[in-house]
Amino acid sequence: MLELKNISFRINDDGRETEILNDISYTLEDEKFLIITGPNGGGKSTLAKVIMGIEKPTSGQILLNGKDITNLDITERAKLGVGYAFQNPPRFKGLTVRRLLSLAHGSDLPEDECCAYLTNVGLCSREYLNREVDTSLSGGEVKRIEIATLMARNLDVAIFDEPEAGIDLWSFTMLVESFKVMCKGRHRSVILISHQERIMQLADEILVVANGKIRTQGSREEVFPKLLGEFGDNCGFRGKEA
Amino acid sequence: MRDDIVSSLLKQISDIEVIPSDGAYNIRKNGEGIERRSTKDVEITTKTDKPGIDIRVAPFAKADSVHIPVVITDSGVKDTVYNDIYIGEGAVVTIVAGCGIHNSGCDASQHDGIHRFFIGKGARLRYIEKHYGEGEGTGERILNPTTVVEMEEDSFCEMESVQIRGVDSTKRDMKANLDKGAKLVITERLMTHGKQFAGSDMEINLNGEGSSAQIISRSVAKDGSSQVFYPRAVGNAPCQAHIQCDSIIMDDAKVRSIPEIAANHYDAQIVHEAAIGRINNDQLIKLQTLGLCESEAEEIIIEGFLK
Ligand SMILES: Nc1ncnc2c1ncn2[C@@H]1O[C@H](COP(=O)(O)OP(=O)(O)OP(=O)(O)O)[C@@H](O)[C@H]1O
Ligand SMILES: [Mg+2]
């Protein structure tokens, strides 16, 4: 169980305070699949980073299974079972896919197991094992490997930040279908940040984060039908329709 | 003749613990040649005018690896050696050199290896050089390699040098002259720590039409160590050269890179790229989210960077 209590995150930009997260409270029960959505720049990734310990909240408290983890660093939280698949994963010179998966898993993974993790994210060829996770991989390949690194672990809270971004339409359908199956039995609870309707269908609960605040929260059945209206009143690409 | 220290040094610098069952080799220990074998295609002889050896690879030979390691196990040795390597026309060969110093005393041990390569027309050489130092003594471990490469028409040369641990001071000097159609590829990997110093001076002259050179240098400077690079490429004919220097700087280290590129011909294309920076923060964070602590994460990133 993950509890967020009154989380705020402010940054100080040249003497000007900007509120990125504003008093966010939420409890994620075990066995739940939570989707966080909301407009670009709303604070979703920042919230994920605060949970992972990459950013320290200005105020508020984070509890994992009743234990206060607010002051624990990234490594300590990782060891307690928090994982985060980046929206923009970094690339590494000289580090092979196999090594990265082994590091994620916590011990050397046999070739077959590595292949199984990769096949699950649609990278079927054995050739990927010894590829380096460097700039030679395509954007979509890097995102898939990022998903695989989280699937190679057993986590209490697994956070995926727009895992579908950059993944082709074809594989997207497959990913949507297999995502929940992949997480089941592996992760106790899952947070998935996404803008995709299809992915929201997987949710037990949906959280809409906008302007650093929770705008709406509730079960999929409650929130999903209202979603389009949620975005409608913002200034979008098209501007106001007459 | 060989003991545990020598065996372990040999393993570090040339991946051989035992004498290879075939192939030519020469092992030099504390300033003297101790073991050697020539083969049908590779003749190794002692120089008569100064310390060192001549290696002659027969024209059109397809020789296996030739190993020429140097080890220093006595403290206070200053060894200077001149090796001349002649690769005959059309020959293909790999030469594994390397120097390992084990200094358990308090006097400096130093090895200055002057290697000259004469690569014949159309010949292909792969040259691997590893430097390594160890030992609990306070005596410095110093390695100053000088390399001269003369490349004839259409010859190919790939040089890999690695210095990862334990050398207190190193000054490498390298000069290459490329004739028509010759191709040179150099990869240099270096890590310094403690108070170590490493300097690398390189001059590549592209004299023949269609000659090309590619130089990739990757280094990591830790603690209070310092590194200085002077890569220089001179294009005197229609040619191509690409120099790429990447350094990771940590702690209180200092890294300087002073490149020079010169074109003396309208069709010379010479590119230099250099970057010095800290370890990428996103990479560190990513590995930490997998449960590694900061120093473990740093080590993995550096290991990959230098691979
Ligand atoms: N370190 C920072 N410095 C300055 N601004 C920041 C910083 N981190 C986040 N922000 C700002 O905070 C806001 C929220 O960013 P965040 O990345 O959390 O948005 P998001 O909801 O994930 O958006 P998207 O859907 O585009 O991924 C943005 O306006 C962003 O510019
Ligand atoms: Mg985001």
Side-chain angles (χ1 to χ4, degrees), chain B:
Chain B
M1 196 69 95
R2 289 205 263 164
D3 48 32
D4 290 349
I5 290 178
V6 173
S7 299
S8 101
L9 285 176
L10 285 176
K11 183 171 164 53
Q12 288 287 348
I13 59 172
S14 62
D15 299 326
I16 48 161
E17 265 168 299
V18 290
I19 302 167
S21 58
D22 52 8
Y25 70 92
N26 186 79
I27 301 174
R28 183 178 177 88
K29 179 184 164 192
N30 296 323
E32 275 172 62
I34 55 165
E35 290 179 46
R36 163 180 312 169
R37 176 167 63 216
S38 292
T39 60
K40 177 169 73 61
D41 290 329
V42 183
E43 184 194 39
I44 304 179
T45 51
T46 308
K47 274 194 184 301
T48 47
D49 53 340
K50 50 191 170 192
I53 51 176
D54 287 329
I55 301 176
R56 281 167 211 280
V57 179
F60 302 102
K62 299 276 173 284
D64 294 330
S65 303
V66 178
H67 291 263
I68 49 167
V70 170
V71 294
I72 295 179
T73 54
D74 291 347
S75 190
V77 172
K78 184 175 186 305
D79 182 27
T80 303
V81 64
Y82 298 84
N83 295 337
D84 287 336
I85 295 138
Y86 301 88
I87 317 289
E89 180 181 347
V92 179
V93 67
T94 298
I95 297 180
V96 183
C99 181
I101 299 183
H102 179 102
N103 192 349
S104 49
C106 51
D107 297 320
S109 293
Q110 177 170 349
H111 175 76
D112 295 356
I114 296 110
H115 288 81
R116 292 195 300 165
F117 295 88
F118 301 90
I119 308 173
K121 199 170 158 182
R124 298 177 70 85
L125 166 68
R126 179 155 180 251
Y127 178 65
I128 301 161
E129 184 185 71
K130 289 187 186 175
H131 285 169
Y132 169 77
E134 61 173 30
E136 55 288 354
T138 53
E140 279 203 304
R141 301 177 289 262
I142 305 169
L143 288 171
N144 298 325
T146 299
T147 311
V148 177
V149 186
E150 300 290 347
M151 297 182 69
E152 284 183 25
E153 221 175 294
D154 296 326
S155 61
F156 173 82
C157 174
E158 187 182 347
M159 301 200 140
E160 276 175 52
S161 73
V162 186
Q163 181 174 311
I164 303 292
R165 266 217 320 270
V167 178
D168 294 302
S169 170
T170 187
K171 277 208 190 90
R172 56 176 66 240
D173 209 318
M174 148 114 210
K175 192 172 177 170
N177 293 313
L178 280 68
D179 214 332
K180 204 169 141 188
K183 182 169 184 196
L184 174 65
V185 178
I186 300 177
T187 32
E188 190 179 51
R189 285 165 292 165
L190 175 70
M191 183 159 87
T192 53
H193 50 92
K195 298 216 169 312
Q196 296 172 351
F197 168 80
S200 171
D201 212 329
M202 206 181 266
E203 183 184 318
I204 314 292
N205 296 304
L206 299 115
N207 302 325
E209 186 177 342
S211 55
S212 67
Q214 184 185 5
I215 291 132
I216 299 167
S217 162
R218 292 209 183 146
S219 77
V220 175
K222 286 186 178 180
D223 308 324
S225 64
S226 57
Q227 304 179 355
V228 185
F229 298 93
Y230 293 96
R232 200 152 58 242
V234 183
N236 296 318
C239 62
Q240 286 190 331
H242 193 143
I243 305 176
Q244 189 191 336
C245 302
D246 268 322
S247 301
I248 290 180
I249 182 162
M250 299 169 74
D251 314 310
D252 300 317
K254 292 190 170 63
V255 179
R256 289 213 298 156
S257 186
I258 306 125
E260 182 186 329
I261 52 181
N264 298 320
H265 191 285
Y266 176 76
D267 276 324
Q269 277 184 45
I270 309 174
V271 178
H272 177 266
E273 294 173 83
I276 304 173
R278 287 193 300 173
I279 288 189
N280 178 297
N281 204 36
D282 271 1
Q283 293 178 345
L284 269 182
I285 289 174
K286 176 75 239 178
L287 294 180
Q288 284 170 285
T289 68
L290 302 180
L292 298 158
C293 70
E294 192 175 338
S295 61
E296 289 165 337
E298 279 179 359
E299 221 160 277
I300 286 165
I301 293 165
I302 288 172
E303 186 192 306
F305 179 74
L306 291 176
K307 197 161 79 179

Side-chain angles (χ1 to χ4, degrees), chain A residues 159-180:
Chain A
I159 311 169
F160 297 88
D161 201 342
E162 301 193 25
E164 79 286 359
I167 289 183
D168 58 84
L169 206 60
W170 216 332
S171 320
F172 178 70
T173 312
M174 200 189 83
L175 187 74
V176 173
E177 278 165 14
S178 61
F179 212 89
K180 238 180 159 166

Side-chain angles (χ1 to χ4, degrees), chain A residues 85-117:
Chain A
F86 287 28
Q87 184 170 2
N88 298 306
R91 293 159 188 263
F92 295 85
K93 275 182 187 149
L95 190 70
T96 61
V97 173
R98 183 173 182 172
R99 182 91 198 279
L100 187 65
L101 286 175
S102 295
L103 289 170
H105 187 70
S107 62
D108 267 337
L109 275 175
E111 198 173 309
D112 286 347
E113 271 184 62
C114 273
C115 281
Y117 289 121

Side-chain angles (χ1 to χ4, degrees), chain A residues 59-80:
Chain A
S59 60
Q61 220 187 1
I62 308 166
L63 305 177
L64 181 68
N65 303 323
K67 179 183 155 84
D68 188 343
I69 61 164
T70 319
N71 293 314
L72 299 189
D73 65 22
I74 305 171
T75 312
E76 290 165 318
R77 293 188 203 195
K79 288 187 169 148
L80 288 177

